[in-house]
PDB file of all heavy atoms in Angstrom:
ATOM      1  N   LEU A   7       1.412   9.193  -1.788  1.00  0.00           N
ATOM      2  CA  LEU A   7       0.076   9.677  -2.254  1.00  0.00           C
ATOM      3  C   LEU A   7       0.152  11.146  -2.501  1.00  0.00           C
ATOM      4  O   LEU A   7      -0.499  11.677  -3.473  1.00  0.00           O
ATOM      5  CB  LEU A   7      -0.940   9.347  -1.181  1.00  0.00           C
ATOM      6  CG  LEU A   7      -1.367   7.846  -1.089  1.00  0.00           C
ATOM      7  CD1 LEU A   7      -2.185   7.629   0.101  1.00  0.00           C
ATOM      8  CD2 LEU A   7      -2.037   7.428  -2.388  1.00  0.00           C
ATOM      9  N   LYS A   8       0.791  11.906  -1.594  1.00  0.00           N
ATOM     10  CA  LYS A   8       0.986  13.311  -1.783  1.00  0.00           C
ATOM     11  C   LYS A   8       1.661  13.706  -3.091  1.00  0.00           C
ATOM     12  O   LYS A   8       1.397  14.585  -3.730  1.00  0.00           O
ATOM     13  CB  LYS A   8       1.652  13.982  -0.546  1.00  0.00           C
ATOM     14  CG  LYS A   8       0.805  13.994   0.670  1.00  0.00           C
ATOM     15  CD  LYS A   8       1.542  14.697   1.790  1.00  0.00           C
ATOM     16  CE  LYS A   8       0.669  14.846   3.066  1.00  0.00           C
ATOM     17  NZ  LYS A   8       1.430  15.536   4.194  1.00  0.00           N
ATOM     18  N   ALA A   9       2.718  12.908  -3.328  1.00  0.00           N
ATOM     19  CA  ALA A   9       3.582  13.211  -4.552  1.00  0.00           C
ATOM     20  C   ALA A   9       2.713  12.975  -5.743  1.00  0.00           C
ATOM     21  O   ALA A   9       2.773  13.751  -6.802  1.00  0.00           O
ATOM     22  CB  ALA A   9       4.758  12.282  -4.592  1.00  0.00           C
ATOM     23  N   ARG A  10       1.867  11.896  -5.833  1.00  0.00           N
ATOM     24  CA  ARG A  10       0.969  11.668  -6.933  1.00  0.00           C
ATOM     25  C   ARG A  10      -0.004  12.849  -7.072  1.00  0.00           C
ATOM     26  O   ARG A  10      -0.417  13.152  -8.160  1.00  0.00           O
ATOM     27  CB  ARG A  10       0.278  10.304  -6.741  1.00  0.00           C
ATOM     28  CG  ARG A  10       1.142   9.166  -6.933  1.00  0.00           C
ATOM     29  CD  ARG A  10       0.436   7.868  -6.636  1.00  0.00           C
ATOM     30  NE  ARG A  10       1.297   6.648  -6.659  1.00  0.00           N
ATOM     31  CZ  ARG A  10       0.869   5.429  -6.532  1.00  0.00           C
ATOM     32  NH1 ARG A  10      -0.412   5.230  -6.210  1.00  0.00           N
ATOM     33  NH2 ARG A  10       1.735   4.392  -6.543  1.00  0.00           N
ATOM     34  N   ARG A  11      -0.583  13.321  -5.991  1.00  0.00           N
ATOM     35  CA  ARG A  11      -1.525  14.359  -6.014  1.00  0.00           C
ATOM     36  C   ARG A  11      -0.917  15.615  -6.613  1.00  0.00           C
ATOM     37  O   ARG A  11      -1.516  16.252  -7.436  1.00  0.00           O
ATOM     38  CB  ARG A  11      -2.153  14.653  -4.643  1.00  0.00           C
ATOM     39  CG  ARG A  11      -3.138  15.727  -4.526  1.00  0.00           C
ATOM     40  CD  ARG A  11      -3.342  16.233  -3.206  1.00  0.00           C
ATOM     41  NE  ARG A  11      -2.082  16.821  -2.686  1.00  0.00           N
ATOM     42  CZ  ARG A  11      -1.848  17.217  -1.397  1.00  0.00           C
ATOM     43  NH1 ARG A  11      -2.721  17.167  -0.530  1.00  0.00           N
ATOM     44  NH2 ARG A  11      -0.690  17.836  -1.091  1.00  0.00           N
ATOM     45  N   ASP A  12       0.301  15.955  -6.135  1.00  0.00           N
ATOM     46  CA  ASP A  12       1.001  17.143  -6.664  1.00  0.00           C
ATOM     47  C   ASP A  12       1.215  16.960  -8.133  1.00  0.00           C
ATOM     48  O   ASP A  12       1.062  18.019  -8.895  1.00  0.00           O
ATOM     49  CB  ASP A  12       2.298  17.307  -5.944  1.00  0.00           C
ATOM     50  CG  ASP A  12       2.146  17.690  -4.454  1.00  0.00           C
ATOM     51  OD1 ASP A  12       0.946  18.094  -4.111  1.00  0.00           O
ATOM     52  OD2 ASP A  12       3.062  17.544  -3.728  1.00  0.00           O
ATOM     53  N   LEU A  13       1.600  15.832  -8.627  1.00  0.00           N
ATOM     54  CA  LEU A  13       1.836  15.705 -10.096  1.00  0.00           C
ATOM     55  C   LEU A  13       0.544  15.804 -10.973  1.00  0.00           C
ATOM     56  O   LEU A  13       0.444  16.365 -12.050  1.00  0.00           O
ATOM     57  CB  LEU A  13       2.396  14.252 -10.372  1.00  0.00           C
ATOM     58  CG  LEU A  13       3.810  14.065 -10.011  1.00  0.00           C
ATOM     59  CD1 LEU A  13       4.232  12.583 -10.171  1.00  0.00           C
ATOM     60  CD2 LEU A  13       4.772  14.957 -10.874  1.00  0.00           C
ATOM     61  N   LEU A  14      -0.560  15.337 -10.339  1.00  0.00           N
ATOM     62  CA  LEU A  14      -1.907  15.452 -11.055  1.00  0.00           C
ATOM     63  C   LEU A  14      -2.330  16.900 -11.086  1.00  0.00           C
ATOM     64  O   LEU A  14      -2.753  17.389 -12.165  1.00  0.00           O
ATOM     65  CB  LEU A  14      -2.933  14.657 -10.240  1.00  0.00           C
ATOM     66  CG  LEU A  14      -4.401  14.695 -10.759  1.00  0.00           C
ATOM     67  CD1 LEU A  14      -4.431  14.109 -12.232  1.00  0.00           C
ATOM     68  CD2 LEU A  14      -5.332  13.898  -9.894  1.00  0.00           C
ATOM     69  N   ILE A  15      -2.113  17.675 -10.045  1.00  0.00           N
ATOM     70  CA  ILE A  15      -2.485  19.017 -10.025  1.00  0.00           C
ATOM     71  C   ILE A  15      -1.634  19.848 -11.002  1.00  0.00           C
ATOM     72  O   ILE A  15      -2.053  20.716 -11.777  1.00  0.00           O
ATOM     73  CB  ILE A  15      -2.365  19.666  -8.618  1.00  0.00           C
ATOM     74  CG1 ILE A  15      -3.380  19.057  -7.688  1.00  0.00           C
ATOM     75  CG2 ILE A  15      -2.403  21.159  -8.600  1.00  0.00           C
ATOM     76  CD1 ILE A  15      -3.228  19.379  -6.243  1.00  0.00           C
ATOM     77  N   LEU A  16      -0.381  19.542 -11.090  1.00  0.00           N
ATOM     78  CA  LEU A  16       0.599  20.186 -12.007  1.00  0.00           C
ATOM     79  C   LEU A  16       0.160  19.929 -13.485  1.00  0.00           C
ATOM     80  O   LEU A  16       0.232  20.812 -14.289  1.00  0.00           O
ATOM     81  CB  LEU A  16       1.982  19.710 -11.776  1.00  0.00           C
ATOM     82  CG  LEU A  16       3.165  20.306 -12.684  1.00  0.00           C
ATOM     83  CD1 LEU A  16       3.194  21.777 -12.490  1.00  0.00           C
ATOM     84  CD2 LEU A  16       4.489  19.608 -12.368  1.00  0.00           C
ATOM     85  N   GLY A  17      -0.152  18.647 -13.693  1.00  0.00           N
ATOM     86  CA  GLY A  17      -0.623  18.308 -15.113  1.00  0.00           C
ATOM     87  C   GLY A  17      -1.855  19.065 -15.516  1.00  0.00           C
ATOM     88  O   GLY A  17      -2.003  19.538 -16.636  1.00  0.00           O
ATOM     89  N   LEU A  18      -2.834  19.228 -14.621  1.00  0.00           N
ATOM     90  CA  LEU A  18      -4.065  19.990 -14.844  1.00  0.00           C
ATOM     91  C   LEU A  18      -3.746  21.438 -15.105  1.00  0.00           C
ATOM     92  O   LEU A  18      -4.318  22.087 -16.036  1.00  0.00           O
ATOM     93  CB  LEU A  18      -5.076  19.809 -13.707  1.00  0.00           C
ATOM     94  CG  LEU A  18      -5.657  18.489 -13.525  1.00  0.00           C
ATOM     95  CD1 LEU A  18      -6.465  18.397 -12.218  1.00  0.00           C
ATOM     96  CD2 LEU A  18      -6.671  18.242 -14.725  1.00  0.00           C
ATOM     97  N   LEU A  19      -2.791  21.980 -14.356  1.00  0.00           N
ATOM     98  CA  LEU A  19      -2.476  23.430 -14.522  1.00  0.00           C
ATOM     99  C   LEU A  19      -1.771  23.642 -15.914  1.00  0.00           C
ATOM    100  O   LEU A  19      -2.147  24.635 -16.519  1.00  0.00           O
ATOM    101  CB  LEU A  19      -1.544  23.870 -13.479  1.00  0.00           C
ATOM    102  CG  LEU A  19      -2.174  24.041 -12.047  1.00  0.00           C
ATOM    103  CD1 LEU A  19      -1.104  24.331 -10.996  1.00  0.00           C
ATOM    104  CD2 LEU A  19      -3.224  25.210 -12.070  1.00  0.00           C
ATOM    105  N   LEU A  20      -0.939  22.771 -16.254  1.00  0.00           N
ATOM    106  CA  LEU A  20      -0.201  22.848 -17.538  1.00  0.00           C
ATOM    107  C   LEU A  20      -1.240  22.771 -18.710  1.00  0.00           C
ATOM    108  O   LEU A  20      -1.135  23.455 -19.726  1.00  0.00           O
ATOM    109  CB  LEU A  20       0.756  21.779 -17.694  1.00  0.00           C
ATOM    110  CG  LEU A  20       2.106  22.003 -16.868  1.00  0.00           C
ATOM    111  CD1 LEU A  20       2.921  20.738 -16.956  1.00  0.00           C
ATOM    112  CD2 LEU A  20       2.860  23.224 -17.293  1.00  0.00           C
ATOM    113  N   SER A  21      -2.249  21.846 -18.602  1.00  0.00           N
ATOM    114  CA  SER A  21      -3.291  21.738 -19.632  1.00  0.00           C
ATOM    115  C   SER A  21      -4.069  23.010 -19.765  1.00  0.00           C
ATOM    116  O   SER A  21      -4.396  23.428 -20.844  1.00  0.00           O
ATOM    117  CB  SER A  21      -4.192  20.579 -19.256  1.00  0.00           C
ATOM    118  OG  SER A  21      -3.490  19.387 -19.246  1.00  0.00           O
ATOM    119  N   LEU A  22      -4.452  23.688 -18.664  1.00  0.00           N
ATOM    120  CA  LEU A  22      -5.158  24.892 -18.682  1.00  0.00           C
ATOM    121  C   LEU A  22      -4.381  25.939 -19.348  1.00  0.00           C
ATOM    122  O   LEU A  22      -4.919  26.824 -20.133  1.00  0.00           O
ATOM    123  CB  LEU A  22      -5.630  25.290 -17.284  1.00  0.00           C
ATOM    124  CG  LEU A  22      -6.673  24.386 -16.583  1.00  0.00           C
ATOM    125  CD1 LEU A  22      -6.867  24.808 -15.166  1.00  0.00           C
ATOM    126  CD2 LEU A  22      -8.017  24.590 -17.370  1.00  0.00           C
ATOM    127  N   LEU A  23      -3.043  26.055 -19.031  1.00  0.00           N
ATOM    128  CA  LEU A  23      -2.209  27.068 -19.615  1.00  0.00           C
ATOM    129  C   LEU A  23      -2.053  26.907 -21.146  1.00  0.00           C
ATOM    130  O   LEU A  23      -2.164  27.885 -21.873  1.00  0.00           O
ATOM    131  CB  LEU A  23      -0.737  26.969 -19.051  1.00  0.00           C
ATOM    132  CG  LEU A  23      -0.639  27.465 -17.601  1.00  0.00           C
ATOM    133  CD1 LEU A  23       0.766  27.246 -17.001  1.00  0.00           C
ATOM    134  CD2 LEU A  23      -0.855  29.008 -17.619  1.00  0.00           C
ATOM    135  N   VAL A  24      -2.026  25.661 -21.633  1.00  0.00           N
ATOM    136  CA  VAL A  24      -1.829  25.439 -23.054  1.00  0.00           C
ATOM    137  C   VAL A  24      -3.222  25.822 -23.765  1.00  0.00           C
ATOM    138  O   VAL A  24      -3.216  26.456 -24.784  1.00  0.00           O
ATOM    139  CB  VAL A  24      -1.561  23.909 -23.372  1.00  0.00           C
ATOM    140  CG1 VAL A  24      -1.774  23.601 -24.908  1.00  0.00           C
ATOM    141  CG2 VAL A  24      -0.199  23.622 -22.908  1.00  0.00           C
ATOM    142  N   VAL A  25      -4.399  25.476 -23.178  1.00  0.00           N
ATOM    143  CA  VAL A  25      -5.566  25.737 -23.749  1.00  0.00           C
ATOM    144  C   VAL A  25      -5.804  27.272 -23.796  1.00  0.00           C
ATOM    145  O   VAL A  25      -6.319  27.867 -24.765  1.00  0.00           O
ATOM    146  CB  VAL A  25      -6.770  25.073 -23.020  1.00  0.00           C
ATOM    147  CG1 VAL A  25      -8.105  25.642 -23.546  1.00  0.00           C
ATOM    148  CG2 VAL A  25      -6.683  23.626 -23.252  1.00  0.00           C
ATOM    149  N   GLY A  26      -5.399  27.978 -22.789  1.00  0.00           N
ATOM    150  CA  GLY A  26      -5.588  29.406 -22.729  1.00  0.00           C
ATOM    151  C   GLY A  26      -4.707  30.109 -23.720  1.00  0.00           C
ATOM    152  O   GLY A  26      -5.082  31.072 -24.363  1.00  0.00           O
ATOM    153  N   ALA A  27      -3.549  29.561 -23.972  1.00  0.00           N
ATOM    154  CA  ALA A  27      -2.605  30.314 -24.902  1.00  0.00           C
ATOM    155  C   ALA A  27      -2.956  30.024 -26.411  1.00  0.00           C
ATOM    156  O   ALA A  27      -2.740  30.770 -27.244  1.00  0.00           O
ATOM    157  CB  ALA A  27      -1.100  29.758 -24.660  1.00  0.00           C
ATOM    158  N   TYR A  28      -3.429  28.697 -26.641  1.00  0.00           N
ATOM    159  CA  TYR A  28      -3.805  28.317 -27.941  1.00  0.00           C
ATOM    160  C   TYR A  28      -5.314  27.843 -27.984  1.00  0.00           C
ATOM    161  O   TYR A  28      -5.511  26.607 -28.082  1.00  0.00           O
ATOM    162  CB  TYR A  28      -2.848  27.269 -28.505  1.00  0.00           C
ATOM    163  CG  TYR A  28      -1.368  27.718 -28.450  1.00  0.00           C
ATOM    164  CD1 TYR A  28      -0.589  27.228 -27.383  1.00  0.00           C
ATOM    165  CD2 TYR A  28      -0.910  28.506 -29.483  1.00  0.00           C
ATOM    166  CE1 TYR A  28       0.710  27.574 -27.425  1.00  0.00           C
ATOM    167  CE2 TYR A  28       0.372  28.856 -29.462  1.00  0.00           C
ATOM    168  CZ  TYR A  28       1.248  28.397 -28.378  1.00  0.00           C
ATOM    169  OH  TYR A  28       2.505  28.825 -28.416  1.00  0.00           O
ATOM    170  N   PRO A  29      -6.241  28.743 -27.875  1.00  0.00           N
ATOM    171  CA  PRO A  29      -7.666  28.291 -27.787  1.00  0.00           C
ATOM    172  C   PRO A  29      -8.062  27.551 -29.055  1.00  0.00           C
ATOM    173  O   PRO A  29      -9.063  26.737 -29.022  1.00  0.00           O
ATOM    174  CB  PRO A  29      -8.450  29.636 -27.669  1.00  0.00           C
ATOM    175  CG  PRO A  29      -7.505  30.626 -28.206  1.00  0.00           C
ATOM    176  CD  PRO A  29      -6.170  30.158 -27.886  1.00  0.00           C
ATOM    177  N   ASN A  30      -7.461  27.723 -30.150  1.00  0.00           N
ATOM    178  CA  ASN A  30      -7.840  27.082 -31.410  1.00  0.00           C
ATOM    179  C   ASN A  30      -6.808  26.076 -31.852  1.00  0.00           C
ATOM    180  O   ASN A  30      -6.607  25.875 -32.998  1.00  0.00           O
ATOM    181  CB  ASN A  30      -8.107  28.151 -32.457  1.00  0.00           C
ATOM    182  CG  ASN A  30      -9.240  29.103 -32.150  1.00  0.00           C
ATOM    183  OD1 ASN A  30     -10.289  28.616 -31.604  1.00  0.00           O
ATOM    184  ND2 ASN A  30      -9.075  30.342 -32.412  1.00  0.00           N
ATOM    185  N   SER A  31      -6.120  25.592 -30.866  1.00  0.00           N
ATOM    186  CA  SER A  31      -5.020  24.713 -31.321  1.00  0.00           C
ATOM    187  C   SER A  31      -5.426  23.477 -32.118  1.00  0.00           C
ATOM    188  O   SER A  31      -4.716  23.099 -33.017  1.00  0.00           O
ATOM    189  CB  SER A  31      -4.264  24.200 -30.048  1.00  0.00           C
ATOM    190  OG  SER A  31      -5.166  23.487 -29.111  1.00  0.00           O
ATOM    191  N   ALA A  32      -6.631  22.888 -31.852  1.00  0.00           N
ATOM    192  CA  ALA A  32      -7.083  21.793 -32.565  1.00  0.00           C
ATOM    193  C   ALA A  32      -7.291  22.209 -34.005  1.00  0.00           C
ATOM    194  O   ALA A  32      -6.992  21.458 -34.942  1.00  0.00           O
ATOM    195  CB  ALA A  32      -8.324  21.287 -32.009  1.00  0.00           C
ATOM    196  N   ALA A  33      -7.853  23.421 -34.207  1.00  0.00           N
ATOM    197  CA  ALA A  33      -8.118  23.852 -35.584  1.00  0.00           C
ATOM    198  C   ALA A  33      -6.849  24.185 -36.373  1.00  0.00           C
ATOM    199  O   ALA A  33      -6.606  24.001 -37.548  1.00  0.00           O
ATOM    200  CB  ALA A  33      -8.985  25.170 -35.515  1.00  0.00           C
ATOM    201  N   ARG A  34      -5.802  24.602 -35.567  1.00  0.00           N
ATOM    202  CA  ARG A  34      -4.538  25.031 -36.113  1.00  0.00           C
ATOM    203  C   ARG A  34      -3.840  23.811 -36.817  1.00  0.00           C
ATOM    204  O   ARG A  34      -3.156  23.865 -37.720  1.00  0.00           O
ATOM    205  CB  ARG A  34      -3.604  25.599 -35.093  1.00  0.00           C
ATOM    206  CG  ARG A  34      -4.074  27.071 -34.747  1.00  0.00           C
ATOM    207  CD  ARG A  34      -3.242  27.534 -33.568  1.00  0.00           C
ATOM    208  NE  ARG A  34      -3.820  28.838 -33.135  1.00  0.00           N
ATOM    209  CZ  ARG A  34      -3.267  30.039 -33.451  1.00  0.00           C
ATOM    210  NH1 ARG A  34      -2.323  29.978 -34.339  1.00  0.00           N
ATOM    211  NH2 ARG A  34      -3.791  31.100 -33.043  1.00  0.00           N
ATOM    212  N   ILE A  35      -3.958  22.671 -36.016  1.00  0.00           N
ATOM    213  CA  ILE A  35      -3.217  21.405 -36.506  1.00  0.00           C
ATOM    214  C   ILE A  35      -3.987  20.640 -37.443  1.00  0.00           C
ATOM    215  O   ILE A  35      -3.442  19.710 -38.112  1.00  0.00           O
ATOM    216  CB  ILE A  35      -2.677  20.601 -35.316  1.00  0.00           C
ATOM    217  CG1 ILE A  35      -3.801  20.071 -34.515  1.00  0.00           C
ATOM    218  CG2 ILE A  35      -1.757  21.365 -34.468  1.00  0.00           C
ATOM    219  CD1 ILE A  35      -3.442  19.115 -33.437  1.00  0.00           C
ATOM    220  N   SER A  36      -5.353  20.906 -37.547  1.00  0.00           N
ATOM    221  CA  SER A  36      -6.076  20.034 -38.480  1.00  0.00           C
ATOM    222  C   SER A  36      -5.844  20.498 -39.875  1.00  0.00           C
ATOM    223  O   SER A  36      -5.520  21.562 -40.102  1.00  0.00           O
ATOM    224  CB  SER A  36      -7.580  20.133 -38.134  1.00  0.00           C
ATOM    225  OG  SER A  36      -7.947  21.509 -38.347  1.00  0.00           O
ATOM    226  N   VAL A  37      -6.026  19.586 -40.863  1.00  0.00           N
ATOM    227  CA  VAL A  37      -5.856  19.852 -42.272  1.00  0.00           C
ATOM    228  C   VAL A  37      -7.223  20.080 -42.875  1.00  0.00           C
ATOM    229  O   VAL A  37      -8.094  19.242 -42.927  1.00  0.00           O
ATOM    230  CB  VAL A  37      -5.169  18.681 -42.977  1.00  0.00           C
ATOM    231  CG1 VAL A  37      -5.048  19.040 -44.482  1.00  0.00           C
ATOM    232  CG2 VAL A  37      -3.853  18.409 -42.392  1.00  0.00           C
ATOM    233  N   LYS A  38      -7.474  21.353 -43.324  1.00  0.00           N
ATOM    234  CA  LYS A  38      -8.745  21.775 -43.805  1.00  0.00           C
ATOM    235  C   LYS A  38      -8.848  21.230 -45.216  1.00  0.00           C
ATOM    236  O   LYS A  38      -7.902  21.369 -46.081  1.00  0.00           O
ATOM    237  CB  LYS A  38      -8.932  23.231 -43.823  1.00  0.00           C
ATOM    238  CG  LYS A  38      -9.043  23.840 -42.333  1.00  0.00           C
ATOM    239  CD  LYS A  38      -9.234  25.276 -42.437  1.00  0.00           C
ATOM    240  CE  LYS A  38      -9.352  25.855 -41.063  1.00  0.00           C
ATOM    241  NZ  LYS A  38      -9.622  27.341 -41.126  1.00  0.00           N
ATOM    242  N   PRO A  39     -10.023  20.654 -45.653  1.00  0.00           N
ATOM    243  CA  PRO A  39     -10.206  20.229 -47.007  1.00  0.00           C
ATOM    244  C   PRO A  39     -10.408  21.413 -47.844  1.00  0.00           C
ATOM    245  O   PRO A  39     -10.692  22.549 -47.407  1.00  0.00           O
ATOM    246  CB  PRO A  39     -11.578  19.443 -46.920  1.00  0.00           C
ATOM    247  CG  PRO A  39     -12.229  20.042 -45.754  1.00  0.00           C
ATOM    248  CD  PRO A  39     -11.165  20.413 -44.750  1.00  0.00           C
ATOM    249  N   PRO A  40     -10.108  21.378 -49.166  1.00  0.00           N
ATOM    250  CA  PRO A  40     -10.270  22.473 -50.043  1.00  0.00           C
ATOM    251  C   PRO A  40     -11.732  22.984 -50.109  1.00  0.00           C
ATOM    252  O   PRO A  40     -12.637  22.180 -49.833  1.00  0.00           O
ATOM    253  CB  PRO A  40      -9.914  21.870 -51.441  1.00  0.00           C
ATOM    254  CG  PRO A  40      -9.042  20.692 -51.094  1.00  0.00           C
ATOM    255  CD  PRO A  40      -9.566  20.165 -49.865  1.00  0.00           C
ATOM    256  N   ALA A  41     -11.871  24.258 -50.209  1.00  0.00           N
ATOM    257  CA  ALA A  41     -13.220  24.820 -50.195  1.00  0.00           C
ATOM    258  C   ALA A  41     -14.079  24.216 -51.287  1.00  0.00           C
ATOM    259  O   ALA A  41     -13.607  23.822 -52.398  1.00  0.00           O
ATOM    260  CB  ALA A  41     -13.183  26.303 -50.354  1.00  0.00           C
ATOM    261  N   ALA A  42     -15.381  24.016 -50.974  1.00  0.00           N
ATOM    262  CA  ALA A  42     -16.369  23.490 -51.978  1.00  0.00           C
ATOM    263  C   ALA A  42     -16.459  24.412 -53.187  1.00  0.00           C
ATOM    264  O   ALA A  42     -16.589  23.827 -54.303  1.00  0.00           O
ATOM    265  CB  ALA A  42     -17.709  23.271 -51.321  1.00  0.00           C
ATOM    266  N   THR A  43     -16.425  25.605 -53.015  1.00  0.00           N
ATOM    267  CA  THR A  43     -16.448  26.603 -54.233  1.00  0.00           C
ATOM    268  C   THR A  43     -15.323  27.557 -54.054  1.00  0.00           C
ATOM    269  O   THR A  43     -14.836  27.881 -52.912  1.00  0.00           O
ATOM    270  CB  THR A  43     -17.784  27.359 -54.249  1.00  0.00           C
ATOM    271  OG1 THR A  43     -17.984  28.095 -53.093  1.00  0.00           O
ATOM    272  CG2 THR A  43     -18.962  26.318 -54.418  1.00  0.00           C
ATOM    273  N   GLN A  44     -14.905  28.146 -55.149  1.00  0.00           N
ATOM    274  CA  GLN A  44     -13.814  29.095 -55.166  1.00  0.00           C
ATOM    275  C   GLN A  44     -14.113  30.192 -56.200  1.00  0.00           C
ATOM    276  O   GLN A  44     -14.554  29.815 -57.345  1.00  0.00           O
ATOM    277  CB  GLN A  44     -12.431  28.418 -55.434  1.00  0.00           C
ATOM    278  CG  GLN A  44     -11.279  29.476 -55.342  1.00  0.00           C
ATOM    279  CD  GLN A  44     -10.022  28.759 -54.987  1.00  0.00           C
ATOM    280  OE1 GLN A  44      -9.887  27.479 -55.050  1.00  0.00           O
ATOM    281  NE2 GLN A  44      -8.957  29.458 -54.632  1.00  0.00           N
TER     282      GLN A  44
END
Side-chain angles (χ1 to χ4, degrees):
L7 289 172
K8 285 183 178 180
R10 290 179 182 179
R11 182 196 63 187
D12 291 343
L13 286 172
L14 179 61
I15 292 171
L16 180 61
L18 289 171
L19 288 173
L20 288 172
S21 298
L22 290 171
L23 286 171
V24 170
V25 171
Y28 303 101
N30 298 318
S31 57
R34 289 169 185 266
I35 61 173
S36 65
V37 178
K38 294 183 178 180
T43 61
Q44 185 156 11

